[in-house]
Amino acid sequence: MNLEGKWKVQTNNTSTTDAVKMDGVLTISPSGNAWDIRIDLDNGKEPVLGVGFVNGNFLCVARGIVTQKAELAETVGLVEYDISTLGNLPARWYHPSLAGTISKGISTHGPTDTLVGEYQADYSSKEGVAYDALRKTIIDLKTMYQFSWWNNSRFHYVGTGTIVNDYLYAAWGAPGSIVQFVHYDLTNTENAAVGAWSDFARNKFGSESLDRIES
C-alpha cells in the first residue's frame, strides 16, 4: 500500500472527548526506513507530529505534542520490541532527531513469565553511541500498556502502546506530553484504513478512520 500523501482523519466513536480527538488532515512522508507524521487539526490548534513503522499490514504510529524539553528533540518517538523471549526484549526505535536512521536498543533483566514489570533499558544513537541506561516499567491496563523510563533522579519519558503482530509498540515522550499510539489496518483498500489508538495522559482509547485525499 502506498502510504505517502494526505489523508482525512475522522474519530469514529462519538463519545470521545474533544481533548483526545485527532480529526484533521494527516500527511505521511517517508523518512529513511520510517515515516514522518503530521496532523493539521480541524480545530486550528498546533499540528500534531509523529513517526511510524510498517509491520505487515499495519502502520504503527507514535504521535503527540511535547510540552517539556527532553534529552531528544521536542517531539514524540516510537519503539518496537521483539517479545519472542520474555525478559530480554531487543528493540528498534525512531525519533525525528535520527534523520531517517532507525536505531537499536534492548531491555534486559525483566520478568521471564510476563511483559509486565521492570527492566534495564539500553539504547544507542544512530552513530551507535550508547546513551546512559534507564530503568523501564511496563504496566498492563488491559486496554493499553503504559510505559515509563526513569532513573534515581527523575522520570525521563512516558508512553503508551499495544501488541501488533507479536511485537510490542510504545509511543513515548517527555512527562507532561500528549502521547498517543495508533495502529492502522491497511488490509482492505489502497484509499482507506481504520485505526485503533490509546492516549497516555488521559487513559483513553478509541478508533478512527483514514480516507485518502491525495497521493
Side-chain angles (χ1 to χ4, degrees):
M1 183 176 187
N2 176 28
L3 294 174
E4 186 173 3
K6 295 184 182 296
W7 303 75
K8 177 63 179 176
V9 184
Q10 182 68 49
T11 303
N12 292 332
N13 45 332
T14 55
S15 62
T16 302
T17 63
D18 288 341
V20 295
K21 286 183 179 180
M22 293 291 176
D23 294 0
V25 175
L26 168 68
T27 302
I28 304 178
S29 307
S31 182
N33 292 320
W35 296 90
D36 282 337
I37 305 297
R38 176 189 172 105
I39 303 177
D40 292 289
L41 297 171
D42 290 343
N43 61 19
K45 294 184 178 180
E46 65 180 297
V48 176
L49 303 179
V51 295
F53 293 156
V54 171
N55 180 338
N57 289 325
F58 289 91
L59 172 64
C60 300
V61 168
R63 66 190 185 190
I65 299 173
V66 174
T67 56
Q68 300 182 30
K69 185 176 182 180
E71 287 87 347
L72 298 172
E74 297 176 20
T75 51
V76 299
L78 179 65
V79 59
E80 172 195 87
Y81 295 103
D82 180 344
I83 58 175
S84 58
T85 303
L86 294 178
N88 187 70
L89 311 179
R92 62 178 192 144
W93 67 279
Y94 188 68
H95 184 273
S97 65
L98 296 179
T101 302
I102 295 175
S103 196
K104 295 181 179 180
I106 189 165
S107 293
T108 56
H109 305 296
T112 57
D113 58 346
T114 178
L115 284 172
V116 175
E118 186 177 317
Y119 298 78
Q120 176 175 310
D122 294 277
Y123 57 109
S124 60
S125 70
K126 64 179 179 179
E127 292 83 11
V129 178
Y131 294 102
D132 291 339
L134 297 174
R135 303 305 298 168
K136 181 183 76 182
T137 303
I138 302 176
I139 299 173
D140 185 358
L141 298 181
K142 305 307 179 185
T143 56
M144 68 188 83
Y145 288 93
Q146 280 196 349
F147 303 78
S148 58
W149 291 261
W150 50 277
N151 58 19
N152 290 334
S153 64
R154 62 190 175 91
F155 284 89
H156 291 249
Y157 303 102
V158 294
T160 182
T162 192
I163 296 173
V164 179
N165 283 345
D166 297 323
Y167 286 84
L168 177 64
Y169 287 87
W172 51 268
S177 305
I178 296 171
V179 181
Q180 292 189 349
F181 174 78
V182 57
H183 60 291
Y184 297 103
D185 188 341
L186 310 175
T187 304
N188 294 324
T189 176
E190 285 285 322
N191 297 310
V194 175
W197 56 265
S198 61
D199 181 287
F200 172 81
R202 307 173 188 89
N203 292 333
K204 299 291 186 180
F205 62 95
S207 64
E208 64 189 33
S209 59
L210 291 184
D211 292 288
R212 188 186 292 277
I213 299 172
E214 64 181 55
S215 301

